[in-house]
Amino acid sequence: MRAGWKSLAEIGRDYPHADLVGGCIVFNIGGNKYRLITKIKFQKQTVYIRFVLTHREYDKGGWKNDCLA
């Protein structure tokens, strides 16, 4: 899928369970078993994948330091 998102609101139309956490956008994937942690530069139209975590790993919160705005 190719997207031309310009904001979190536009992402929400395609992925309603995506959430902004600090400077990251978190997607629930794999039937909510995994979390895809990304940083998105809308002006550059670039998605940086920071982490792919199990639900258990996500809950530990170690990834949050990378997402501080």
Side-chain angles (χ1 to χ4, degrees):
M1 174 181 182
R2 181 162 174 86
W5 301 315
K6 295 179 181 148
S7 68
L8 180 61
E10 289 185 6
I11 291 172
R13 283 183 273 189
D14 292 329
Y15 298 97
H17 297 291
D19 294 307
L20 181 64
V21 179
C24 292
I25 298 175
V26 179
F27 295 87
N28 297 330
I29 58 175
N32 206 27
K33 293 179 183 176
Y34 301 96
R35 299 291 188 273
L36 174 65
I37 317 294
T38 66
K39 288 188 176 181
I40 298 178
K41 303 297 181 187
F42 293 104
Q43 290 181 344
K44 293 183 179 184
Q45 290 290 290
T46 305
V47 176
Y48 298 95
I49 297 172
R50 304 302 300 144
F51 303 95
V52 179
L53 305 171
T54 64
H55 196 286
R56 181 176 286 174
E57 292 168 329
Y58 174 84
D59 285 344
K60 290 179 183 177
W63 58 273
K64 289 182 181 180
N65 290 333
D66 190 63
C67 295
L68 297 175

